Amino acid sequence: DYEKVLQLNPNYEYILGKVLHCKMFLSDWNNFDLTAKKIDSSIKNGFKTIDPFSYLGIIDDPETARKASETFVKYEFNNNVKNQILIKDKITKPKIAYFSADFYDHPTLHLMMDVFKNHDKSKFDFFGFSFGPDKKDNWSNEVKNYFLKYMELNKTSDNDIIKISRNLKIDIAVDLKGYTINNRSSIFLNRAAPIQINYLGYPGTTAIQNMDYIIADETIIPDENFKFYSEKVLHLPDCYQANMRKRKVSAIELKRSQFGLPENGVVYCSFNNNYKITPHMFYAWLDILKKVDGSVLWILKTNDIAAVNLKKQAEIKGINPKRIVFADYLKNDEHLKRLSLADLCLDTFPYNAHTTASDVLRMGVPLITLAGNSFASRVAASILKNLNMENLITYSLEDYEALAIDLGLHSDKLKKIKKNLNDYLPKSSLFDSIKFTHNLENLYSKLLNI
């Protein structure tokens, strides 16, 4: 349908981006480079070509990503943005609200649950503003207990949510969505709170005039990249990514044979969604398979069409399609358990694994990443640095391939890296959720001058 619209009117708003993003879900890369080049050029010329989120998975360019967000704000919000300053009341006990559509079994809550649990309720009052789908599960039932007040507002208008926030005299509003699915970015256009922060959900700038800050770390947004963000950059001392100290992992004994994996061959894996897989990365993965006999690539099966297309691409490149093994969706605790069956995780680029990266590393599986310039392309590098695994960070596709091949061919090197990872995991700050929460609260205190 998108392609029909494009045929009828090539200048129809966002249509080129919708075509490419949809095709990436299907791993259909026909004319990928040409389309990406057109999109990049159109953004730079100020056209409504692609939504900001979809752009992050195509090209590693934070400057153009900011331009995409600026264009989106300009046209989608009809210049209704007013640069407002809300006067903070004399603060006695500060009120901090988290805004999200993902207070259920979702990657965002998999990262944030311990933060909500560990927050110092004697020092701050915390509020949950939920505007997502009405999903009831163990995660959503638990998280409600960690807020002074938790509100389900999916049927409440943006303006009314702003009024609720102001009436409650919220001091800091933390947007955990940005431009990801089910977002309500317009809540922050005209201020829900005197201080507004873009955090975690969207790895890029919102270009919203009233979004005051973005939380990152020195690896993800180094000082020289501040100019690519409309928000002021706040650095956390370790990794910007929140994590739970412990996750529920299934106790079921699993074998590789249950998932169609070889008992002895090297199992490379990537459990990212298909829209993060570009042809350039997939072809690099196939080159790795060519050089490492008996190895397989274990990929999350997002949909049947993508699975067929990926196997076709493997065959075209001279790889037996049986060496591409697909994993179906599982309950989260079972998914974590099966991750431990892999030998090495291959990251995507320019949109890295984020929650998936910390998941595989938590399960003792090393991850090789390619770090670029954009926020989305530097998250895995930040995670690896905080696990003392900087030797798994590469900065070119050639080095990425070479490292994956070297570890695949030399089991002794891979075993040593796995041992180092497992030895360092208990010492790392990455899963120290109490320390992370304390650092985050220190950041809030500084913003509030308390």
Side-chain angles (χ1 to χ4, degrees):
D1 288 343
Y2 287 148
E3 286 183 329
K4 185 64 176 177
V5 172
L6 182 63
Q7 181 185 350
L8 292 170
N9 182 3
N11 295 318
Y12 191 84
E13 60 183 29
Y14 303 115
I15 191 59
L16 201 58
K18 288 183 181 296
V19 168
L20 186 57
H21 194 54
C22 185
K23 289 175 76 171
M24 289 181 74
F25 270 101
L26 304 174
S27 298
D28 176 357
W29 300 317
N30 187 37
N31 293 324
F32 176 88
D33 286 332
L34 179 62
T35 307
K37 189 175 180 180
K38 285 182 179 178
I39 287 172
D40 197 52
S41 176
S42 295
I43 293 171
K44 289 171 179 173
N45 287 317
F47 295 117
K48 294 184 283 183
T49 308
I50 191 170
D51 69 90
F53 176 77
S54 299
Y55 179 78
L56 299 181
I58 297 170
I59 297 171
D60 176 40
D61 183 358
E63 183 176 7
T64 309
R66 174 171 180 168
K67 181 71 174 176
S69 291
E70 288 171 345
T71 301
F72 186 80
V73 169
K74 177 181 177 181
Y75 289 106
E76 292 311 299
F77 300 131
N78 299 314
N79 289 315
N80 274 337
V81 184
K82 299 174 183 176
N83 186 19
Q84 296 188 12
I85 299 175
L86 296 184
I87 304 301
K88 290 185 287 185
D89 289 341
K90 184 178 180 181
I91 294 173
T92 51
K93 191 176 182 184
K95 297 178 179 180
I96 298 170
Y98 289 95
F99 293 70
S100 182
D102 305 323
F103 291 113
Y104 62 95
D105 186 0
H106 182 279
T108 297
L109 194 50
H110 298 167
L111 298 177
M112 288 293 293
M113 184 70 92
D114 271 11
V115 172
F116 300 142
K117 179 181 179 180
N118 294 329
H119 265 318
D120 186 348
K121 277 78 174 182
S122 68
K123 188 174 181 180
F124 304 91
D125 285 334
F126 294 95
F127 298 78
F129 282 59
S130 174
F131 46 76
D134 187 19
K135 294 188 179 183
K136 306 297 182 187
D137 56 32
N138 292 335
W139 291 81
S140 62
N141 290 334
E142 179 182 347
V143 75
K144 295 175 185 178
N145 299 318
Y146 301 138
F147 296 105
L148 178 66
K149 190 170 185 180
Y150 178 86
M151 291 159 282
E152 295 182 353
L153 303 168
N154 58 321
K155 294 181 181 178
T156 306
S157 72
D158 292 348
N159 285 335
D160 284 343
I161 291 176
I162 291 172
K163 288 177 184 176
I164 292 169
S165 181
R166 290 186 178 185
N167 288 338
L168 286 170
K169 297 184 178 179
I170 298 298
D171 296 297
I172 298 179
V174 183
D175 178 20
L176 295 173
K177 291 300 299 176
Y179 293 130
T180 55
I181 191 168
N182 295 320
N183 75 78
R184 300 281 287 272
S185 294
S186 54
I187 289 170
F188 306 94
L189 290 174
N190 297 309
R191 285 207 179 274
I195 297 172
Q196 301 192 137
I197 300 175
N198 168 20
Y199 176 55
L200 195 66
Y202 180 69
T205 186
T206 61
I208 292 175
Q209 193 173 13
N210 289 322
M211 188 65 77
D212 305 298
Y213 301 99
I214 183 171
I215 295 177
D217 58 55
E218 290 182 351
T219 299
I220 289 173
I221 308 180
D223 293 357
E224 62 268 23
N225 283 359
F226 282 11
K227 59 189 175 184
F228 303 132
Y229 299 83
S230 63
E231 306 91 343
K232 292 179 181 177
V233 179
L234 302 173
H235 280 162
L236 284 168
D238 300 310
C239 180
Y240 96 110
Q241 189 188 71
N243 271 288
M244 294 177 67
R245 179 181 287 275
K246 291 184 179 179
R247 293 279 297 280
K248 182 183 176 183
V249 179
S250 173
I252 298 173
E253 288 297 321
L254 298 178
K255 296 180 179 179
R256 283 185 170 188
S257 56
Q258 294 174 247
F259 300 95
L261 301 170
E263 289 298 336
N264 298 314
V266 176
V267 175
Y268 295 102
C269 75
S270 174
F271 282 88
N272 284 316
N273 275 300
N274 278 74
Y275 71 83
K276 290 188 178 182
I277 304 175
T278 66
H280 306 291
M281 292 309 293
F282 190 70
Y283 297 152
W285 296 346
L286 294 179
D287 286 341
I288 293 164
L289 293 185
K290 280 182 183 178
K291 300 286 176 59
V292 183
D293 290 341
S295 62
V296 299
L297 179 61
W298 195 18
I299 299 180
L300 187 67
K301 185 179 180 182
T302 304
N303 60 78
D304 291 334
I305 296 173
V308 170
N309 284 335
L310 289 171
K311 282 187 174 287
K312 281 182 181 177
Q313 289 295 329
E315 198 165 17
I316 290 169
K317 295 292 183 178
I319 296 291
N320 186 336
K322 291 182 179 179
R323 294 176 69 185
I324 311 298
V325 182
F326 290 98
D328 293 320
Y329 285 91
L330 289 180
K331 290 191 300 181
N332 197 254
D333 64 324
E334 293 178 12
H335 169 64
L336 288 173
K337 180 73 172 184
R338 73 175 170 187
L339 287 177
S340 61
L341 297 174
D343 290 305
L344 192 58
C345 183
L346 300 176
D347 200 9
T348 45
F349 179 87
Y351 203 138
N352 288 172
H354 292 185
T355 308
T356 303
S358 48
D359 281 350
V360 296
L361 290 159
R362 180 194 293 273
M363 298 309 299
V365 180
L367 173 142
I368 297 175
T369 192
L370 172 57
N373 297 309
S374 60
F375 191 127
S377 73
R378 298 179 68 86
V379 169
S382 174
I383 292 169
L384 287 168
K385 283 184 179 181
N386 279 269
L387 285 170
N388 203 29
M389 294 266 111
E390 291 187 56
N391 55 334
L392 296 179
I393 303 169
T394 65
Y395 297 92
S396 72
L397 194 54
E398 293 76 19
D399 288 345
Y400 174 100
E401 282 189 41
L403 181 57
I405 292 166
D406 185 48
L407 294 179
L409 292 175
H410 299 94
S411 60
D412 55 329
K413 291 183 180 180
L414 184 55
K415 284 178 183 176
K416 185 177 180 181
I417 286 174
K418 283 187 176 182
K419 184 181 185 305
N420 290 342
L421 172 60
N422 285 302
D423 287 347
Y424 198 78
L425 276 171
K427 308 171 192 174
S428 171
S429 62
L430 186 67
F431 300 115
D432 188 343
S433 56
I434 293 175
K435 180 183 179 184
F436 179 91
T437 307
H438 180 69
N439 288 335
L440 186 62
E441 289 176 353
N442 282 343
L443 185 151
Y444 293 156
S445 294
K446 288 177 183 177
L447 295 179
L448 294 166
N449 295 315
I450 59 173

